[in-house]
Amino acid sequence: MNPLIALDFDGVICDSVDECLITAHNAYHQIQGRPQWIDSLAALDPGLIDRFRKLRHLAANAADFWLVYDLAAATGNAVAPTSFKALRKEHRVRMNSFEPLFFQARLKLRSAGLTEWLALHRPYPEFQEGWDQLRAHFPVYLVTTKDRASIDQFNRHWQLGFGEQHLWTKERGLNKAHAVAAIAEQTGRKPEDILFVDDHPEHLAAVATTGARCYWAAWGYLGVYGPAPAEDSPFTPIAKLSDLLAHLPIID
């Protein structure tokens, strides 16, 4: 039985930093009680944009965008992952209230103009290099905290070719480690037969506990905007998706 590949979406397949900033801005000001609806980056201060991009790698889910935006709006100073985790605990109630507003703001933005919304995203060239070859020879699953409606749009628009049963989105209510374990059980594989690719160290660390083989996407948010993982990181870095081929059975 061939190994199975599981990919994150944001930071591996898609660069969505601009859309996430606009959506976070709209939801953030709504929860603050002073709505400031925008639909493009042109309405934002360039300094805020730059600070948000540099902090984007810290966000592991939608709730985290409240904290990322709050930090970017305040000072945008570099924040260590340990400090970010402490701030999560401090602001957990506010962040939990923010999460549904974030998805509501995304839906409103997407509904207002699908073409314009799609244009706020781009597929990574590093993902495209090797994608067709990998999906032609190995089963590929998507494991993401992004909402299913958005994923469906990209699956069609970019012709990614994911089957419906291979989409594990936030609606399944599982964290990434549980999702990978469930996929292994569902497909009759051992977790060690799954190659998982993500750009976020927290997700990699969680999935690694299942026994899956974990690879850090060096082209994602952390690699571009944040500090690279420590040299002794247990996760194998890959510079492009085709690098996975070196860790898979030889294909014709």
Side-chain angles (χ1 to χ4, degrees), residues 27 30 36 50-51 66 89 91 140 143 157 176 182 191 201-202 209 232 242:
Q30 182 179 349
Q36 296 182 18
D50 183 63
R51 293 191 296 271
W66 180 88
K89 294 181 180 179
H91 297 287
V140 186
V143 178
H157 182 63
K176 292 188 177 183
E202 284 185 19
T209 64
D232 60 352
S242 59

Side-chain angles (χ1 to χ4, degrees), residues 10-11 14-29 38 40-41 44-79 84 95 98 102 106 109 120-121 124 146 199-200 220-227:
D10 292 304
C14 174
D15 182 354
S16 63
V17 66
D18 292 347
E19 189 271 353
C20 288
L21 172 51
I22 292 169
T23 300
H25 170 94
N26 291 334
Y28 181 90
H29 287 284
I38 65 171
S40 78
L41 295 182
L44 295 177
D45 174 70
L48 172 64
I49 296 171
D50 183 63
R51 293 191 296 271
F52 184 91
R53 286 175 173 166
K54 289 178 179 177
L55 294 168
R56 167 62 182 90
H57 67 94
L58 293 166
N61 52 51
D64 281 350
F65 281 116
W66 180 88
L67 184 51
V68 169
Y69 187 93
D70 191 68
L71 290 167
T75 63
N77 292 334
V79 178
F84 192 80
M95 292 168 67
F98 170 85
F102 180 89
R106 171 171 286 162
L109 185 64
L120 293 171
H121 308 76
Y124 285 106
K146 205 175 191 74
D199 70 310
H200 200 294
Y221 302 122
L222 181 61
V224 174
Y225 299 114

Side-chain angles (χ1 to χ4, degrees), residues 95-109:
M95 292 168 67
N96 286 343
S97 298
F98 170 85
E99 184 174 16
L101 297 179
F102 180 89
F103 287 112
Q104 290 170 20
R106 171 171 286 162
L107 174 59
K108 180 179 177 180
L109 185 64

Side-chain angles (χ1 to χ4, degrees), residues 9-232:
F9 187 73
D10 292 304
V12 173
I13 294 175
C14 174
D15 182 354
S16 63
V17 66
D18 292 347
E19 189 271 353
C20 288
L21 172 51
I22 292 169
T23 300
H25 170 94
N26 291 334
Y28 181 90
H29 287 284
Q30 182 179 349
I31 202 172
Q32 298 292 96
R34 40 188 176 87
Q36 296 182 18
W37 182 262
I38 65 171
D39 59 10
S40 78
L41 295 182
L44 295 177
D45 174 70
L48 172 64
I49 296 171
D50 183 63
R51 293 191 296 271
F52 184 91
R53 286 175 173 166
K54 289 178 179 177
L55 294 168
R56 167 62 182 90
H57 67 94
L58 293 166
N61 52 51
D64 281 350
F65 281 116
W66 180 88
L67 184 51
V68 169
Y69 187 93
D70 191 68
L71 290 167
T75 63
N77 292 334
V79 178
T82 51
S83 299
F84 192 80
K85 290 179 182 178
L87 288 169
R88 270 193 189 126
K89 294 181 180 179
E90 180 182 343
H91 297 287
R92 178 51 59 192
V93 173
R94 174 56 62 94
M95 292 168 67
N96 286 343
S97 298
F98 170 85
E99 184 174 16
L101 297 179
F102 180 89
F103 287 112
Q104 290 170 20
R106 171 171 286 162
L107 174 59
K108 180 179 177 180
L109 185 64
R110 188 174 67 233
S111 300
L114 179 59
T115 300
E116 292 78 11
W117 180 80
L118 288 168
L120 293 171
H121 308 76
R122 71 177 184 93
Y124 285 106
E126 294 89 348
F127 156 74
Q128 294 174 311
E129 186 171 340
W131 171 239
D132 288 339
Q133 190 175 12
L134 285 170
R135 70 170 177 164
H137 294 89
F138 301 96
V140 186
Y141 282 68
L142 190 69
V143 178
T144 177
T145 57
K146 205 175 191 74
D147 59 289
R148 177 62 181 269
S150 294
I151 292 300
D152 284 343
Q153 291 293 343
F154 293 112
N155 200 23
R156 288 192 294 268
H157 182 63
W158 290 340
Q159 299 181 349
L160 296 175
F162 283 104
E164 182 177 345
Q165 298 304 314
H166 287 202
L167 298 175
W168 289 65
T169 59
K170 84 174 189 71
E171 288 78 8
R172 290 190 185 250
L174 299 175
N175 63 36
K176 292 188 177 183
H178 290 155
V180 168
I183 291 169
E185 182 177 3
Q186 183 184 88
T187 60
R189 287 174 170 80
K190 297 178 181 178
E192 293 81 2
D193 293 328
I194 296 179
L195 282 69
F196 175 71
V197 182
D198 203 300
D199 70 310
H200 200 294
E202 284 185 19
H203 291 156
L204 291 168
V207 172
T209 64
T210 69
R213 291 179 278 166
C214 294
Y215 298 83
W216 175 61
W219 62 87
Y221 302 122
L222 181 61
V224 174
Y225 299 114
E231 290 186 4
D232 60 352

